[in-house]
């Protein structure tokens, strides 16, 4: 197993890449982040964060599918299998296979590009799902602790006021009771909303 | 017949204020506490008939409150909560609350329960 290259591996994990291990069919186990590290000369990059953001990400996004499909058409014996561990408590295990011709200088790039898209996709999905859960929880808490308390107080306050209005001016009684009914409808609508 | 004595435990300032005013307007005798410690101190001497307590309190919860009251608990207890999952409702009933109201609720819902409580007390006396 190849050793982990400090610096880039840490940087990639900071960007959200987990420590993914890739097992090739000839038994070699390498870390995906280390595979990535093989592609660059650390000395050439003075600002790795900017380099990754400005140069690598657009490259990954614009990866030419034909380019690696052609390379894979010559597939012989290199097969990469990837499995993720859980991220944010969510199980992301999956297997993915890609092929490249050993000895071909582009093979490692082909594997890298082929693996990067799905990995980014999975990571994005995981973070999005977590984000949705957090947002759902935030809205639920806001509803429970904020709006529901305020509307409860308002419903009781209006009943007090409606009673006083009716006592002072009987002709306004209907308006007061209509408004109370409206408020009660709002209470029921909010109750229904909070069930979700 | 004297009016029902109520004890309201709720920490939301507006809710406690308007519920108290509303219930006083209807001639209920009502005392209030903003937290569990105050409620535990005041309820035993209040001789109240009905406890109306929020489940989420700043220094505990409505379930603990009823358990800690032990033999000092009022004959009828009503829980109020923003959370109305089946578990919450079951827990309320398990510790002795006869009703679990999910916030927000209409004043009429609370009044209906209080009228039943009055009737129940009338039948017992």
């Amino acid at each position: 197993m190849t050793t982990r290259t400090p610096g880039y591996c840490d940087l990639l994990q900071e960007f959200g890449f987990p420590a993914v291990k890739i097992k090739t069919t000839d038994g070699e186990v390498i870390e995906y982040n280390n595979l990535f590290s093989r592609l660059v000369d650390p000395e050439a990059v003075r600002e790795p964060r900017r380099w990754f953001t400005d140069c690598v990400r657009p490259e990954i996004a614009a990866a030419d599918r034909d380019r690696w499909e052609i390379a894979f058409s010559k597939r012989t014996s290199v097969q990469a299998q990837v499995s993720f561990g859980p991220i944010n408590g969510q199980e992301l295990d999956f297997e993915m296979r890609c092929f490249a011709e050993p000895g071909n200088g582009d093979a490692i790039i082909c594997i890298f590009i082929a693996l990067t898209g799905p990995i980014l996709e999975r990571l994005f999905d995981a973070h999005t799902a977590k984000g949705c859960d957090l947002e759902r929880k935030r809205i639920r808490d806001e509803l429970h602790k904020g709006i529901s308390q305020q509307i409860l107080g308002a419903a009781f306050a209006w009943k007090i006021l409606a009673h006083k209005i009716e006592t002072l001016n009987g002709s306004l009684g209907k308006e007061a009771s209509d408004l109370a009914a409206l408020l009660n409808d709002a209470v029921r609508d909010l109750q229904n909303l909070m069930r979700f | 017949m004297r009016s029902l004595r109520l004890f309201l435990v709720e920490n939301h300032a507006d809710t406690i204020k308007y519920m108290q005013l509303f219930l006083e307007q209807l001639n209920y005798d009502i005392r209030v506490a903003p937290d569990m410690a105050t409620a535990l101190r005041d309820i035993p001497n209040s001789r109240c008939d009905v406890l109306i307590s929020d489940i989420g309190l700043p220094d505990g919860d409505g379930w603990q409150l009823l358990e800690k009251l032990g033999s000092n608990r009022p004959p009828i207890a009503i829980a109020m909560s923003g959370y109305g999952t089946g578990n919450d409702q079951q827990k309320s009933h398990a510790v002795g609350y006869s009703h679990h109201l999910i916030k927000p609720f209409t004043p009429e819902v609370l009044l209906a329960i209080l009228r039943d409580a009055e009737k129940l007390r009338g039948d017992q006396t």
Side-chain angles (χ1 to χ4, degrees), chain A residues 173-195:
Chain A
K174 178 161 186 329
E175 282 88 341
S177 106
D178 286 350
L179 188 52
L182 198 65
L183 204 49
N184 281 355
D185 287 346
V187 168
R188 287 187 199 100
D189 286 350
L190 188 56
Q191 278 178 336
N192 289 334
L193 186 66
M194 286 167 64
R195 287 190 189 132

Side-chain angles (χ1 to χ4, degrees), chain B residues 85-116:
Chain B
T85 63
N87 281 347
D88 287 350
Q89 297 189 31
Q90 279 174 10
K91 197 167 175 183
S92 290
H93 292 307
V95 298
Y97 284 102
S98 55
H99 297 82
H100 181 107
L101 298 179
I102 301 164
K103 291 179 182 175
F105 50 84
T106 62
E108 286 78 8
V109 170
L110 180 61
L111 279 184
I113 296 171
L114 293 178
R115 282 182 189 131
D116 284 347

